[in-house]
Amino acid sequence: MRLNDAVFGLIFIALGLTMILIASGFPAFPGQPYGAALLPTLLGGGFIICGGLLCLRGWRVRAGGMAMADPALKEPGTLVSMALVVVLILAYILFSDPVGYVPFMAVALTLLLLRFGNRPLPALAVALLTTVVSQWFFGRILLVPLPRGILEGLF
């Protein structure tokens, strides 16, 4: 499979611009210098920067011929890992409301960390810490209402 990074770079730039454009219509929170548009705008900017770097790399490689896909992409384990990320994102979209953000993310992050070769105890600890910190950041700082699911009424 022959792919050029410039193509993916342009796709990332288009996605970043789309994210920023959509986020510009998000309402601001009264009395706060930031609102719901902050995170998507930051992510969109990151997409644009990374897309630009991919374009530069692709154009440099293009001068010497077409770039080859990373050989790791041909390994079945890599494809399974990539598929697991997509499946977990889709599962979050479908099941986050009834299950809740905290339980779902704790399980999903633990699965991902185990899949990527981490030992069980550190994977569980990192997943729980990351879940609690991200819930605090989104829920308290950005005031994003995350689904409570099965934890509704517990805290």
Side-chain angles (χ1 to χ4, degrees), residues 101 132-146 148:
Y101 176 82
V132 169
V133 169
S134 64
Q135 200 281 335
W136 169 80
F137 182 75
F138 284 104
R140 300 285 182 188
I141 302 298
L142 295 178
L143 301 176
V144 175
L146 297 173
R148 292 179 178 247

Side-chain angles (χ1 to χ4, degrees), residues 26-123:
F26 290 174
F29 295 122
Q32 290 191 356
Y34 53 86
L38 176 65
L39 187 62
T41 302
L42 291 175
L43 289 173
F47 271 52
I48 292 171
I49 291 170
C50 291
L53 293 173
L54 278 172
C55 284
L56 288 175
R57 180 177 164 188
W59 287 323
R60 282 186 188 163
V61 171
R62 175 94 173 143
M66 292 295 284
M68 296 293 291
D70 188 347
L73 290 176
K74 296 179 180 176
E75 296 177 17
T78 303
L79 294 176
V80 169
S81 297
M82 292 171 62
L84 180 62
V85 171
V86 172
V87 166
L88 287 174
I89 290 171
L90 293 174
Y92 180 79
I93 292 170
L94 294 173
F95 303 113
S96 63
D97 280 338
V99 175
Y101 176 82
V102 170
F104 187 90
M105 289 308 292
V107 171
L109 288 175
T110 302
L111 287 174
L112 284 174
L113 290 169
L114 290 173
R115 174 68 194 157
F116 293 132
N118 293 287
R119 291 177 294 157
L121 191 56

